[in-house]
Structure formats: C-alpha cells, structure tokens
Amino acid sequence: MSNFKNIIICGDINIDISKDTPDKRSHDYLNVLASHCLLPGHLSVTHGKTCLDHMILKTNLDAKCLIIDSSITDHLAVAVFLNFNADFYQHSNKVLKRIDYNGLDTSIEKININSILCCDDQVLIGYIGALIEGCYAQQRVFTDASEQT
C-alpha cells in the first residue's frame, strides 16, 4: 500500500469505532489501520448508536466526510469530498523535507493516541499536526547555480 499516494476504504465494516465504544475489536482495528497510515475520516454515529460505516483514508489532500440521512437503508450514508486543487498542496520553491525522527519520537511519546482517534476538537488536532510538522527539517534544493541567492 505504500506505493499509493491516496487510499480510501469505505463500507459497513461492523466494528464500532465511535467514541467510547464497548467493541473490543475497535482498538486493534484502528491500530492496524494506523500502522499503514490509514485513519478514519469520521467517528460519527451511522447506525443506531454505533459507527459501523467507515471511511478510512490515507491522503495528503484536503478531505471532508459527511454523514447523510437516507430513507432507503437503516444506516446513514457516508460521503467523502477530496480537494485536488488546494493551493497549500502545491509544491513550490523546490523544498525538500526530511524527518527529524528523534524530535518526532519525543513529540509522539507525549501524545495519547486513543484521545486523537476519538477527538472531535479541531484545535487539538491542529496542535498535534503542528507538533508533527515541526519535526520536519526543510532544506532548499537548487537545480542550477542561477537559482542560488
């Protein structure tokens, strides 16, 4: 799966991944997905009081999941919208990023992963993203001498 830039897995998985779920399989399931850089696009209720209909994503694109009421099934529908034209994903100025693994390890050790997987707080998610982003060391790459300033 590492050869693919974008992966979407969706469907009625029958493992409840909602917040504070009693489903004991949920933790293992989410950890296996995360080990392959796959994360749930939502943790919202889709059937009764459970989140059984999953939208699992691996992407650098801006993604939004919507839960849609439907009269043709007893489950709520899940839709994903991907923005392929977002300006902030355009690579300009030929910047190479390399990961500071020691800094990343230190930052990750401070994070409770369970609280992230069940988090609805956009501020907290942004803070964690900034911590991880801060572990990148940027280096400008010049293709010829005329570009150097």
Side-chain angles (χ1 to χ4, degrees):
M1 287 196 296
S2 62
N3 295 335
F4 297 100
K5 290 175 75 173
N6 299 296
I7 298 173
I8 301 172
I9 301 170
C10 58
D12 180 356
I13 307 297
N14 285 331
I15 297 174
D16 181 14
I17 61 170
S18 62
K19 255 184 168 180
D20 303 320
T21 179
D23 191 337
K24 298 192 183 327
R25 302 170 297 166
S26 177
H27 181 74
D28 292 338
Y29 170 72
L30 292 172
N31 280 337
V32 167
L33 291 172
S35 73
H36 294 285
C37 300
L38 294 159
L39 297 172
H42 74 93
L43 299 172
S44 302
V45 170
T46 60
H47 182 258
K49 295 182 180 180
T50 61
C51 179
L52 301 179
D53 304 279
H54 303 177
M55 186 67 65
I56 307 300
L57 305 169
K58 173 189 171 187
T59 184
N60 287 330
L61 300 171
D62 186 22
K64 304 275 188 243
C65 284
L66 296 178
I67 310 304
I68 305 165
D69 197 3
S70 171
S71 61
I72 60 172
T73 179
D74 61 338
H75 291 247
L76 299 176
V78 180
V80 65
F81 296 90
L82 300 174
N83 186 353
F84 289 93
N85 298 317
D87 290 338
F88 53 90
Y89 291 109
Q90 302 301 321
H91 297 288
S92 60
N93 296 328
K94 299 176 186 171
V95 173
L96 253 190
K97 291 184 176 182
R98 104 186 119 80
I99 297 173
D100 171 9
Y101 287 102
N102 291 333
L104 184 59
D105 284 344
T106 302
S107 295
I108 289 175
E109 285 174 358
K110 298 176 184 176
I111 299 171
N112 179 348
I113 298 299
N114 286 332
S115 66
I116 294 170
L117 293 175
C118 298
C119 183
D120 291 338
D121 184 350
Q122 296 300 317
V123 174
L124 177 61
I125 292 170
Y127 171 73
I128 293 167
L131 276 176
I132 293 170
E133 187 68 27
C135 294
Y136 285 98
Q138 295 188 6
Q139 176 181 355
R140 178 139 181 173
V141 177
F142 299 100
T143 56
D144 62 42
S146 66
E147 293 183 26
Q148 295 182 10
T149 55

